[in-house]
């Protein structure tokens, strides 16, 4: 079984089905053998099958998330080889030592936490396969990120978005506005179909959001114009299926606009939308619904609040 990341959910599902359709004993033996041999390809295939079929994210997990999990699997297995771990029966102190080794290597806290998340996913997959009862990372202490995420990775600035819109072709314009005005995740943007677009009512249906949850978002005037320039037609609104293709298209757009040093992928566009909406509403709950967050605490990490946000209010205290 190939352990490569595959671009389409159907391919991932068929890979997962090949493992999931095994008998309980055959799956257990395969997982035990992979753990004993510290076979990264087999352990990743097992983890991918588990993530694709037995988690809330399922086959809609983004390529970015899957790359992070795969890298974490590779790092853990390399560490296990170097320190003679028994993956199925790790020592009580070994997970803590692993996290300490990651931290002491100079990795940022967020990267360490991503590695631990991947390790936890691997062990969930091994338990799913019946290979072990071990849950070694359940109680391990993770490093704390002292700098708020919105400070490290802020939203795009309005000047950057405007510069890209001025250089964008119709397809690029629609993609950029789906992120910065509709607040879509990249997987959601690439999954939009014309049947989901309701221009007269100024609404867009996100049929398969994170966790396969649907929501509706309003369409701005600029986004409606961009969509009208493309269609309406049938099938997908955007021509790209792969995350990497869309990423490269926007990267080159930023280069044409002379703003390549400001390009930071897709998430900064989603944060731009959340920040714009919060500035208008001052309501994290409404922004959470707009972005498709279950928890408002998640939304707070997406919104940049000006430091002087309370100045005028406090000025008028009596």
């Amino acid at each position: 079984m190939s352990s490569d990341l595959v671009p389409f959910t159907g391919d991932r599902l068929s890979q997962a089905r090949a493992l999931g359709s095994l008998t309980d004993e055959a799956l257990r033996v395969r997982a035990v053998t992979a753990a004993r041999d510290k076979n990264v390809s087999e352990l990743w295939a097992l983890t991918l099958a588990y993530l694709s079929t037995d988690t809330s994210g399922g086959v809609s997990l983004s390529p970015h998330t899957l790359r992070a999990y795969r890298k974490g699997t590779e790092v853990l297995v390399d560490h296990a080889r170097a320190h003679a771990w028994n993956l199925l029966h790790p020592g009580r102190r070994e997970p803590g030592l692993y996290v300490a080794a990651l931290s002491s290597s100079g990795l940022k806290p967020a990267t360490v936490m991503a590695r631990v998340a991947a390790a936890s996913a691997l062990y969930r997959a091994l338990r799913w396969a019946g290979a072990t009862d071990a849950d070694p990372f359940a109680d391990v202490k993770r490093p704390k990120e002292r700098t708020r995420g919105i400070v490290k990775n802020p939203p795009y600035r309005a000047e950057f978005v405007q510069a890209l819109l001025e250089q964008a072709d119709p397809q690029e314009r629609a993609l950029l506005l789906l992120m910065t005005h509709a607040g879509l995740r990249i997987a959601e943007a690439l999954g939009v179909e014309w049947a989901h677009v309701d221009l007269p009512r100024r609404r867009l249906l996100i049929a398969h959001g994170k966790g396969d949850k649907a929501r509706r978002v309003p369409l701005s005037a600029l986004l409606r114009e961009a969509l009208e320039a493309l269609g309406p037609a049938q099938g997908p609104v955007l021509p790209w299926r792969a995350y990497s293709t869309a990423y490269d298209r926007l990267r080159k757009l930023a280069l044409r606009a002379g703003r390549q040093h400001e390009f930071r992928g897709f998430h900064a566009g989603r944060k731009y939308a959340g920040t714009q909406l919060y500035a208008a509403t001052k309501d994290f709950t409404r922004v959470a619904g707009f972005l498709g967050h279950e928890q408002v605490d998640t939304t707070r990490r997406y919104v940049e609040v000006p430091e002087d946000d309370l100045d005028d209010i406090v000025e008028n205290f009596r």
Side-chain angles (χ1 to χ4, degrees):
M1 178 178 297
S2 171
S3 62
D4 292 339
L5 290 179
V6 289
F8 307 126
T9 58
D11 297 327
R12 291 214 322 255
L13 186 58
S14 61
Q15 285 190 3
R17 187 176 289 115
L19 277 176
S21 62
L22 295 175
T23 66
D24 287 350
E25 180 60 15
L27 181 59
R28 187 191 71 82
V29 169
R30 187 159 179 169
V32 167
T33 302
R36 180 199 65 200
D37 297 342
K38 299 182 176 64
N39 185 322
V40 173
S41 293
E42 281 289 290
L43 289 171
W44 171 244
L46 177 72
T47 304
L48 183 61
Y50 163 75
L51 291 170
S52 298
T53 61
D54 209 53
T55 64
S56 60
V59 292
S60 65
L61 284 170
S62 72
H64 175 78
T65 299
L66 293 176
R67 287 189 188 92
Y69 277 136
R70 177 167 182 171
K71 180 62 177 178
T73 300
E74 293 171 351
V75 171
L76 176 66
V77 173
D78 286 345
H79 181 90
R81 287 198 193 102
H83 296 85
W85 271 36
N86 181 330
L87 282 174
L88 296 179
H89 304 286
R92 184 167 59 87
R93 290 176 291 276
E94 285 174 339
L97 291 170
Y98 173 64
V99 175
L102 292 174
S103 297
S104 65
S105 70
L107 293 177
K108 296 179 180 179
T111 304
V112 174
M113 288 189 284
R115 298 286 185 265
V116 174
S120 297
L122 170 61
Y123 274 95
R124 291 199 303 274
L126 289 169
R127 294 195 299 275
W128 171 72
T132 184
D133 292 325
D135 190 8
F137 291 92
D139 299 320
V140 73
K141 290 186 177 180
R142 294 158 170 79
K144 292 184 179 180
E145 180 57 73
R146 302 297 180 185
T147 305
R148 292 190 304 131
I150 197 69
V151 174
K152 292 196 309 175
N153 298 297
Y156 284 134
R157 303 305 175 203
E159 296 80 7
F160 173 82
V161 175
Q162 184 59 38
L164 265 61
L165 287 174
E166 290 174 359
Q167 295 293 324
D169 68 21
Q171 293 170 341
E172 294 164 346
R173 187 176 180 85
L175 172 58
L176 185 61
L177 290 170
L178 283 169
M179 293 186 306
T180 59
H181 282 205
L184 270 57
R185 301 174 178 92
I186 181 56
E188 294 170 344
L190 297 182
V192 171
E193 297 190 2
W194 284 108
H196 303 153
V197 178
D198 189 342
L199 290 174
R201 290 185 174 87
R202 300 181 295 174
R203 287 289 184 272
L204 172 64
L205 171 66
I206 312 304
H208 300 285
K210 192 171 185 178
D212 206 31
K213 293 183 178 180
R215 71 183 188 280
R216 294 184 187 277
V217 298
L219 294 172
S220 70
L222 284 180
L223 180 49
R224 293 199 307 276
E225 291 174 6
L227 293 173
E228 287 169 350
L230 290 178
Q234 300 293 321
V237 168
L238 297 173
W240 314 293
R241 293 287 304 277
Y243 171 102
S244 57
T245 305
Y247 181 94
D248 191 56
R249 193 66 174 258
L250 281 192
R251 183 185 61 80
K252 290 179 178 176
L253 172 60
L255 182 64
R256 292 202 308 272
R259 312 295 286 254
Q260 64 272 21
H261 58 289
E262 300 173 59
F263 178 64
R264 289 179 281 105
F266 300 111
H267 235 48
R270 186 164 148 80
K271 290 179 179 180
Y272 176 88
T275 297
Q276 294 288 319
L277 186 57
Y278 178 79
T281 64
K282 306 297 184 185
D283 189 335
F284 278 112
T285 300
R286 295 176 72 184
V287 179
F290 175 73
L291 294 176
H293 290 153
E294 289 188 1
Q295 303 293 331
V296 172
D297 282 347
T298 302
T299 308
R300 294 180 191 278
R301 300 197 295 269
Y302 279 70
V303 171
E304 186 176 56
V305 179
E307 292 182 1
D308 61 355
D309 191 45
L310 301 178
D311 287 5
D312 291 340
I313 297 173
V314 174
E315 175 70 20
N316 296 313
F317 275 4
R318 293 289 187 269

